[in-house]
Amino acid sequence: MGIETVPLGETLGAEIRGVDLRHRLDEKVAEAVRTAWHEHLVLLFRGAPLSDQKLIDFTLGLGDLEFPPSKILNLAGGPAIGSDIPSEINVISNVKENGKPIGHLGASEATWHTDSAFVEVPPAGSILHALEVPPSGGNTSFLNMYAAYETLPDALRSRIDGKKIKHDQTYTSAGGRRHGYDAVTDIREAPGPWHPAVRTHPETGRKALYLGRRMNGYVEDLSVEENEELLDAIWEHVLQPKFIWEHKWSVGDVLMWDNRCVMHRREAFDDSSRRIMHRTQLAGDRPS
Ligand code: SIN
């Protein structure tokens, strides 16, 4: 059976049918999936829950695996992730066992961000698999950063083209301060890498805005006031509904998104319900 691509959002998102994730992708299918990914930026696969090893095998069929950010940055003080979970898997969950979280991000909103933009060589893609989902809330939205860049008014584009942005490592997208990091009192001094504000996708050749996240973002050479004014104006442009597609999760869903041209946000949900997601990441290049 051939693979079928069903577009879901106005400017991004598509469901892929006819691919069985329980079996390692052959190169022909993997190439078709990559082609659809480059066109639609976020792909949805529906099916029964997969084991961690199957999720890893699926990821390896598409590229090299990247470790979760806590391992890349050697972060201490994170959740008590089960010893049976392979180190390539990142657990995103609000569930607590013996009083300790078993995963990251809790139940509050995870604000708009690009995964791990706060490391020097961020992952190309993220693959998130739903094992338990709440009855409502916890939807994940995606934002097309090619479209956001291509429609940016000239007056803003000329101020951001060629600039670098500092990506603060201190806080998670849910607002928690990472263990061992001091509170940021001056965004110009926040720890984290500089990346180009506009990056060229290494495979499609298209340009996309690369903002990381709004909190503590800092554009080189600007005063704090100029920075806030410029980033507020850019973010106002970016957060238009026409660039966004929102996904309501079902158990078994696998979503794969391209961190080089997509940002995402997870809405809050009731902390008395359980949400467990396992994530792998595809290794990427230094943004340029
Ligand atoms: C993430 O930010 O990678 C997690 C998204 C989600 O929990 O839906």
Side-chain angles (χ1 to χ4, degrees):
M1 191 171 105
I3 84 164
E4 189 188 354
T5 305
V6 182
L8 296 169
E10 198 182 324
T11 63
L12 76 169
E15 182 178 341
I16 301 294
R17 297 181 183 159
V19 176
D20 186 348
L21 271 49
R22 291 168 304 171
H23 303 289
R24 180 83 180 244
L25 303 186
D26 67 37
E27 191 40 45
K28 204 166 143 215
V29 174
E31 199 45 48
V33 169
R34 280 190 214 102
T35 302
W37 194 39
H38 293 148
E39 186 175 345
H40 298 282
L41 320 190
V42 186
L43 299 182
L44 166 65
F45 302 83
R46 293 193 187 275
L50 299 169
S51 67
D52 287 333
Q53 193 53 52
K54 295 277 181 214
L55 186 62
I56 288 172
D57 287 346
F58 170 65
T59 310
L60 282 171
L62 294 165
D64 293 332
L65 269 173
E66 181 58 276
F67 284 100
S70 52
K71 295 218 163 39
I72 299 174
L73 290 177
N74 208 9
L75 297 173
I81 294 185
S83 54
D84 53 330
I85 311 261
S87 53
E88 296 90 345
I89 297 278
N90 198 3
V91 180
I92 311 288
S93 184
N94 66 315
V95 172
K96 289 195 175 89
E97 280 174 10
N98 303 320
K100 287 195 151 188
I102 63 160
H104 296 272
L105 295 182
S108 57
E109 178 188 359
T111 57
W112 286 108
H113 66 283
T114 299
D115 282 332
S116 303
F118 50 83
V119 303
E120 293 287 346
V121 184
S126 299
I127 299 177
L128 189 63
H129 182 39
L131 299 176
E132 293 189 44
V133 299
S136 63
N139 294 357
T140 309
S141 297
F142 297 90
L143 216 163
N144 183 335
M145 300 301 281
Y146 290 136
Y149 177 68
E150 285 157 7
T151 55
L152 199 61
D154 287 345
L156 286 178
R157 191 187 294 211
S158 61
R159 292 171 68 194
I160 199 74
D161 262 339
K163 291 282 194 183
K164 288 200 164 83
I165 293 185
K166 170 105 75 80
H167 295 251
D168 175 35
Q169 280 169 355
T170 310
Y171 299 94
T172 71
S173 55
R177 178 148 53 96
R178 292 195 165 87
H179 188 81
Y181 283 78
D182 294 330
V184 173
T185 51
D186 181 341
I187 54 173
R188 295 166 297 188
E189 304 301 329
W194 292 96
H195 293 308
V198 180
R199 67 179 292 183
T200 303
H201 193 291
E203 284 155 272
T204 66
R206 293 176 70 188
K207 287 183 173 183
L209 272 172
Y210 195 64
L211 303 178
R213 56 198 69 187
R214 178 64 189 87
M215 187 183 182
N216 295 342
Y218 174 63
V219 181
E220 63 180 338
D221 298 334
L222 298 188
S223 69
V224 173
E225 294 71 28
E226 287 167 335
N227 179 71
E228 297 303 294
E229 182 270 317
L230 176 58
L231 286 183
D232 281 349
I234 291 174
W235 276 84
E236 189 182 340
H237 168 80
V238 160
L239 293 178
Q240 296 186 56
K242 65 183 176 189
F243 302 138
I244 295 170
W245 168 66
E246 177 172 328
H247 179 60
K248 177 168 174 48
W249 293 91
S250 298
V251 168
D253 287 354
V254 171
L255 268 192
M256 155 177 178
W257 62 86
D258 192 329
N259 288 308
R260 298 161 296 186
C261 53
V262 171
M263 287 201 303
H264 61 284
R265 165 191 178 265
R266 198 275 313 281
E267 69 175 353
F269 59 97
D270 181 351
D271 202 12
S272 64
S273 37
R274 291 167 62 96
R275 187 176 189 270
I276 303 181
M277 322 289 276
H278 281 191
R279 191 177 82 189
T280 53
Q281 294 191 302
L282 285 162
D285 301 318
R286 189 177 292 276
S288 61

